[in-house]
Amino acid sequence: MSYPEQPPSPQEPYGQQPYGQAPQGQQPYGQAPYGQPGFGQPTPPPAKTGNGLGLAALIIGVVSLIGAFIPFVNFVSGFLAFVGLVLGIIALFLKNKSKGLAIAGTVLSLIAMILSIILAITYTAGFAGAVSEGIKTAQAESSAEADRDVTVVYEVTGTSAASSITYMTFTDGNSGTEQANDQALPFTKEFTIKAGGTFDYSSFYVMAMNGADDAGDISCKITVDGKVLAENTSTGAYASASCSASSMDLNE
């Protein structure tokens, strides 16, 4: 009994892969090479980089914090700290940026701004108090000086038996003139005024003149608070000697 011949089984050529398998050395469709993300797989997030604004906020915060303790400089450091605070807040919201510097700069700037405001108020109040105390002290000294009595002396000396003497005083905004005729010498006029006063200025004047029969000397002198401010001498009939001074001469 004979059997029908079977067809020979197909054989793949040498070096070819079986049907349905990818060639050797190649990856099936949809798969990525080894070590690389495949199609449809999630991409890893990008690495965070430095934060320039955060660094700037940190530097400004440090400088502002130092300036907060220096009188009058803290007015500027307060504004500078506000700038650092704004930069630090902006740096916190930047994507893919490190937050450490931004947080440190924001905190330091905020502390520096608060300290600058507090210390500026404290220093200003202290300075104003010192100025006010100095003004009160100066006013008290001025008041004490204004209440001090000062002695003024007009003197006329010589050999005249009938001299003519005129003296004028301006003090505390008031002036007065007096005259003595046929006055025998020596002549002295002494009075007291208040130092300072409304206008804090005084002036003094005295003039003496010989008579027709007087041929000798005639002299005048003004003494204020024990100090001779002016003196003069003249000789002969009708000769006159005049002296003038002011409270400003006491400081010379």
Side-chain angles (χ1 to χ4, degrees):
M1 181 176 183
S2 62
Y3 294 94
E5 293 183 1
Q6 298 292 331
S9 58
Q11 295 182 358
E12 286 78 5
Y14 178 77
Q16 292 185 358
Q17 297 294 327
Y19 178 77
Q21 295 185 5
Q24 187 176 6
Q26 297 183 2
Q27 297 294 330
Y29 178 75
Q31 294 185 1
Y34 178 76
Q36 297 184 7
F39 178 76
Q41 294 182 355
T43 303
K48 293 184 178 181
T49 59
N51 197 331
L53 286 181
L55 178 61
L58 180 61
I59 295 174
I60 293 175
V62 172
V63 174
S64 301
L65 189 62
I66 296 173
F69 294 93
I70 304 176
F72 301 109
V73 176
N74 45 31
F75 288 98
V76 179
S77 66
F79 174 77
L80 194 63
F82 176 75
V83 174
L85 180 62
V86 173
L87 292 179
I89 293 174
I90 294 174
L92 286 174
F93 291 94
L94 294 178
K95 294 183 178 180
N96 302 324
K97 299 290 184 180
S98 60
K99 306 300 182 184
L101 293 177
I103 294 173
T106 302
V107 173
L108 276 179
S109 296
L110 180 61
I111 295 174
M113 185 174 67
I114 295 174
L115 280 178
S116 295
I117 295 173
I118 294 175
L119 294 178
I121 295 174
T122 302
Y123 291 153
T124 302
F127 177 76
V131 172
S132 177
E133 188 65 26
I135 293 175
K136 289 181 181 179
T137 302
Q139 289 176 344
E141 293 176 353
S142 177
S143 177
E145 179 69 16
D147 292 337
R148 184 170 65 89
D149 290 335
V150 175
T151 301
V152 180
V153 180
Y154 294 147
E155 295 181 73
V156 178
T157 57
T159 59
S160 175
S163 63
S164 177
I165 302 172
T166 302
Y167 53 93
M168 180 178 68
T169 305
F170 175 85
T171 182
D172 200 17
N174 300 312
S175 62
T177 303
E178 296 186 36
Q179 187 171 5
N181 295 319
D182 299 327
Q183 181 68 46
L185 301 181
F187 167 83
T188 301
K189 177 66 176 180
E190 181 177 326
F191 55 94
T192 301
I193 64 173
K194 294 289 185 181
T198 303
F199 295 97
D200 197 22
Y201 175 81
S202 300
S203 63
F204 317 102
Y205 174 80
V206 61
M207 185 189 72
M209 185 173 63
N210 275 337
D213 299 328
D214 297 321
D217 295 339
I218 188 168
S219 301
C220 65
K221 182 167 65 174
I222 299 176
T223 304
V224 179
D225 204 21
K227 180 180 180 180
V228 177
L229 299 185
E231 55 185 339
N232 192 18
T233 300
S234 187
T235 304
Y238 296 112
S240 63
S242 61
C243 298
S244 63
S246 71
S247 56
M248 297 180 64
D249 297 328
L250 288 172
N251 300 323
E252 294 181 357

PDB file of all heavy atoms in Angstrom, residues 8 11 14 56 81 88 91 106 108 118 132 146-147 153 181 189 196 203 209 225:
ATOM      1  N   PRO A   8       7.623  18.735   1.380  1.00  0.00           N
ATOM      2  CA  PRO A   8       8.756  19.014   2.279  1.00  0.00           C
ATOM      3  C   PRO A   8       8.469  20.223   3.179  1.00  0.00           C
ATOM      4  O   PRO A   8       7.818  21.171   2.763  1.00  0.00           O
ATOM      5  CB  PRO A   8       9.901  19.285   1.307  1.00  0.00           C
ATOM      6  CG  PRO A   8       9.267  19.701   0.057  1.00  0.00           C
ATOM      7  CD  PRO A   8       7.945  18.985  -0.018  1.00  0.00           C
ATOM      8  N   GLN A  11      11.962  25.497   5.184  1.00  0.00           N
ATOM      9  CA  GLN A  11      13.088  25.874   6.041  1.00  0.00           C
ATOM     10  C   GLN A  11      13.484  27.320   5.736  1.00  0.00           C
ATOM     11  O   GLN A  11      13.520  27.745   4.598  1.00  0.00           O
ATOM     12  CB  GLN A  11      14.285  24.948   5.760  1.00  0.00           C
ATOM     13  CG  GLN A  11      14.026  23.498   6.144  1.00  0.00           C
ATOM     14  CD  GLN A  11      15.250  22.634   5.903  1.00  0.00           C
ATOM     15  OE1 GLN A  11      16.274  23.139   5.419  1.00  0.00           O
ATOM     16  NE2 GLN A  11      15.130  21.359   6.218  1.00  0.00           N
ATOM     17  N   TYR A  14      19.307  30.481   6.048  1.00  0.00           N
ATOM     18  CA  TYR A  14      20.274  30.637   7.148  1.00  0.00           C
ATOM     19  C   TYR A  14      20.422  32.098   7.504  1.00  0.00           C
ATOM     20  O   TYR A  14      20.556  32.960   6.641  1.00  0.00           O
ATOM     21  CB  TYR A  14      21.636  30.078   6.699  1.00  0.00           C
ATOM     22  CG  TYR A  14      22.712  30.245   7.745  1.00  0.00           C
ATOM     23  CD1 TYR A  14      22.738  29.385   8.868  1.00  0.00           C
ATOM     24  CD2 TYR A  14      23.659  31.254   7.623  1.00  0.00           C
ATOM     25  CE1 TYR A  14      23.720  29.534   9.820  1.00  0.00           C
ATOM     26  CE2 TYR A  14      24.637  31.390   8.599  1.00  0.00           C
ATOM     27  CZ  TYR A  14      24.661  30.528   9.685  1.00  0.00           C
ATOM     28  OH  TYR A  14      25.638  30.694  10.643  1.00  0.00           O
ATOM     29  N   ALA A  56      20.581  87.218  45.308  1.00  0.00           N
ATOM     30  CA  ALA A  56      20.546  88.681  45.453  1.00  0.00           C
ATOM     31  C   ALA A  56      19.762  89.076  46.700  1.00  0.00           C
ATOM     32  O   ALA A  56      20.168  89.980  47.446  1.00  0.00           O
ATOM     33  CB  ALA A  56      19.924  89.311  44.212  1.00  0.00           C
ATOM     34  N   ALA A  81      16.041  96.700  52.557  1.00  0.00           N
ATOM     35  CA  ALA A  81      15.478  95.427  52.997  1.00  0.00           C
ATOM     36  C   ALA A  81      14.150  95.136  52.310  1.00  0.00           C
ATOM     37  O   ALA A  81      13.833  93.975  52.004  1.00  0.00           O
ATOM     38  CB  ALA A  81      15.297  95.449  54.515  1.00  0.00           C
ATOM     39  N   GLY A  88      13.142  88.232  47.125  1.00  0.00           N
ATOM     40  CA  GLY A  88      13.051  86.904  47.708  1.00  0.00           C
ATOM     41  C   GLY A  88      11.712  86.245  47.430  1.00  0.00           C
ATOM     42  O   GLY A  88      11.646  85.039  47.138  1.00  0.00           O
ATOM     43  N   ALA A  91      11.654  85.119  43.868  1.00  0.00           N
ATOM     44  CA  ALA A  91      12.506  83.951  43.684  1.00  0.00           C
ATOM     45  C   ALA A  91      11.836  82.673  44.178  1.00  0.00           C
ATOM     46  O   ALA A  91      12.108  81.582  43.660  1.00  0.00           O
ATOM     47  CB  ALA A  91      13.836  84.162  44.421  1.00  0.00           C
ATOM     48  N   THR A 106      14.581  85.975  51.874  1.00  0.00           N
ATOM     49  CA  THR A 106      13.291  86.544  52.269  1.00  0.00           C
ATOM     50  C   THR A 106      13.218  86.760  53.777  1.00  0.00           C
ATOM     51  O   THR A 106      12.796  87.819  54.256  1.00  0.00           O
ATOM     52  CB  THR A 106      12.143  85.618  51.814  1.00  0.00           C
ATOM     53  OG1 THR A 106      12.204  85.446  50.407  1.00  0.00           O
ATOM     54  CG2 THR A 106      10.799  86.216  52.193  1.00  0.00           C
ATOM     55  N   LEU A 108      15.766  86.993  56.011  1.00  0.00           N
ATOM     56  CA  LEU A 108      16.712  88.015  56.463  1.00  0.00           C
ATOM     57  C   LEU A 108      16.243  89.423  56.098  1.00  0.00           C
ATOM     58  O   LEU A 108      16.363  90.362  56.895  1.00  0.00           O
ATOM     59  CB  LEU A 108      18.092  87.753  55.845  1.00  0.00           C
ATOM     60  CG  LEU A 108      18.987  86.738  56.565  1.00  0.00           C
ATOM     61  CD1 LEU A 108      20.288  86.573  55.818  1.00  0.00           C
ATOM     62  CD2 LEU A 108      19.251  87.175  57.989  1.00  0.00           C
ATOM     63  N   ILE A 118      12.165  99.825  63.646  1.00  0.00           N
ATOM     64  CA  ILE A 118      12.157  99.982  65.106  1.00  0.00           C
ATOM     65  C   ILE A 118      13.340 100.820  65.585  1.00  0.00           C
ATOM     66  O   ILE A 118      13.183 101.764  66.377  1.00  0.00           O
ATOM     67  CB  ILE A 118      12.169  98.600  65.781  1.00  0.00           C
ATOM     68  CG1 ILE A 118      10.866  97.847  65.473  1.00  0.00           C
ATOM     69  CG2 ILE A 118      12.346  98.738  67.294  1.00  0.00           C
ATOM     70  CD1 ILE A 118      10.839  96.429  66.000  1.00  0.00           C
ATOM     71  N   SER A 132      16.462 118.451  72.519  1.00  0.00           N
ATOM     72  CA  SER A 132      15.544 119.204  73.372  1.00  0.00           C
ATOM     73  C   SER A 132      16.173 119.530  74.712  1.00  0.00           C
ATOM     74  O   SER A 132      16.025 120.646  75.233  1.00  0.00           O
ATOM     75  CB  SER A 132      14.259 118.392  73.567  1.00  0.00           C
ATOM     76  OG  SER A 132      13.379 119.050  74.442  1.00  0.00           O
ATOM     77  N   ALA A 146      20.873 136.498  81.798  1.00  0.00           N
ATOM     78  CA  ALA A 146      20.052 137.709  81.672  1.00  0.00           C
ATOM     79  C   ALA A 146      19.700 138.287  83.030  1.00  0.00           C
ATOM     80  O   ALA A 146      19.466 139.486  83.158  1.00  0.00           O
ATOM     81  CB  ALA A 146      18.776 137.396  80.898  1.00  0.00           C
ATOM     82  N   ASP A 147      19.653 137.439  84.054  1.00  0.00           N
ATOM     83  CA  ASP A 147      19.299 137.913  85.392  1.00  0.00           C
ATOM     84  C   ASP A 147      20.503 138.426  86.166  1.00  0.00           C
ATOM     85  O   ASP A 147      20.357 138.892  87.296  1.00  0.00           O
ATOM     86  CB  ASP A 147      18.639 136.783  86.189  1.00  0.00           C
ATOM     87  CG  ASP A 147      17.276 136.415  85.608  1.00  0.00           C
ATOM     88  OD1 ASP A 147      16.688 137.279  84.931  1.00  0.00           O
ATOM     89  OD2 ASP A 147      16.833 135.274  85.826  1.00  0.00           O
ATOM     90  N   VAL A 153      30.168 152.171  85.470  1.00  0.00           N
ATOM     91  CA  VAL A 153      30.684 153.364  86.148  1.00  0.00           C
ATOM     92  C   VAL A 153      31.189 154.346  85.103  1.00  0.00           C
ATOM     93  O   VAL A 153      32.023 153.983  84.261  1.00  0.00           O
ATOM     94  CB  VAL A 153      31.822 153.005  87.133  1.00  0.00           C
ATOM     95  CG1 VAL A 153      32.340 154.283  87.816  1.00  0.00           C
ATOM     96  CG2 VAL A 153      31.350 151.990  88.158  1.00  0.00           C
ATOM     97  N   ASN A 181      25.970 170.295  84.511  1.00  0.00           N
ATOM     98  CA  ASN A 181      26.692 171.528  84.159  1.00  0.00           C
ATOM     99  C   ASN A 181      27.387 172.095  85.396  1.00  0.00           C
ATOM    100  O   ASN A 181      26.930 171.917  86.530  1.00  0.00           O
ATOM    101  CB  ASN A 181      25.741 172.565  83.583  1.00  0.00           C
ATOM    102  CG  ASN A 181      25.134 172.110  82.264  1.00  0.00           C
ATOM    103  OD1 ASN A 181      25.820 171.529  81.421  1.00  0.00           O
ATOM    104  ND2 ASN A 181      23.831 172.353  82.091  1.00  0.00           N
ATOM    105  N   LYS A 189      29.527 158.475  88.224  1.00  0.00           N
ATOM    106  CA  LYS A 189      28.136 158.036  88.104  1.00  0.00           C
ATOM    107  C   LYS A 189      28.150 156.506  87.997  1.00  0.00           C
ATOM    108  O   LYS A 189      28.697 155.944  87.058  1.00  0.00           O
ATOM    109  CB  LYS A 189      27.481 158.653  86.865  1.00  0.00           C
ATOM    110  CG  LYS A 189      26.046 158.184  86.625  1.00  0.00           C
ATOM    111  CD  LYS A 189      25.103 158.665  87.727  1.00  0.00           C
ATOM    112  CE  LYS A 189      23.665 158.274  87.435  1.00  0.00           C
ATOM    113  NZ  LYS A 189      22.723 158.734  88.491  1.00  0.00           N
ATOM    114  N   GLY A 196      22.221 140.756  79.343  1.00  0.00           N
ATOM    115  CA  GLY A 196      21.291 140.146  78.372  1.00  0.00           C
ATOM    116  C   GLY A 196      20.152 141.104  78.097  1.00  0.00           C
ATOM    117  O   GLY A 196      20.299 142.100  77.408  1.00  0.00           O
ATOM    118  N   SER A 203      24.903 149.994  75.135  1.00  0.00           N
ATOM    119  CA  SER A 203      25.953 150.931  74.731  1.00  0.00           C
ATOM    120  C   SER A 203      26.057 152.040  75.770  1.00  0.00           C
ATOM    121  O   SER A 203      25.060 152.402  76.421  1.00  0.00           O
ATOM    122  CB  SER A 203      25.660 151.523  73.347  1.00  0.00           C
ATOM    123  OG  SER A 203      24.462 152.283  73.367  1.00  0.00           O
ATOM    124  N   MET A 209      33.708 168.351  79.230  1.00  0.00           N
ATOM    125  CA  MET A 209      34.350 169.505  78.571  1.00  0.00           C
ATOM    126  C   MET A 209      34.771 170.524  79.620  1.00  0.00           C
ATOM    127  O   MET A 209      34.028 170.830  80.572  1.00  0.00           O
ATOM    128  CB  MET A 209      33.378 170.150  77.592  1.00  0.00           C
ATOM    129  CG  MET A 209      34.011 171.284  76.784  1.00  0.00           C
ATOM    130  SD  MET A 209      32.908 171.899  75.471  1.00  0.00           S
ATOM    131  CE  MET A 209      31.550 172.533  76.448  1.00  0.00           C
ATOM    132  N   ASP A 225      31.337 146.066  84.510  1.00  0.00           N
ATOM    133  CA  ASP A 225      31.582 144.780  85.151  1.00  0.00           C
ATOM    134  C   ASP A 225      33.046 144.654  85.578  1.00  0.00           C
ATOM    135  O   ASP A 225      33.649 143.584  85.470  1.00  0.00           O
ATOM    136  CB  ASP A 225      31.209 143.639  84.196  1.00  0.00           C
ATOM    137  CG  ASP A 225      30.889 142.347  84.935  1.00  0.00           C
ATOM    138  OD1 ASP A 225      30.573 142.405  86.137  1.00  0.00           O
ATOM    139  OD2 ASP A 225      30.955 141.270  84.306  1.00  0.00           O
TER     140      ASP A 225
END
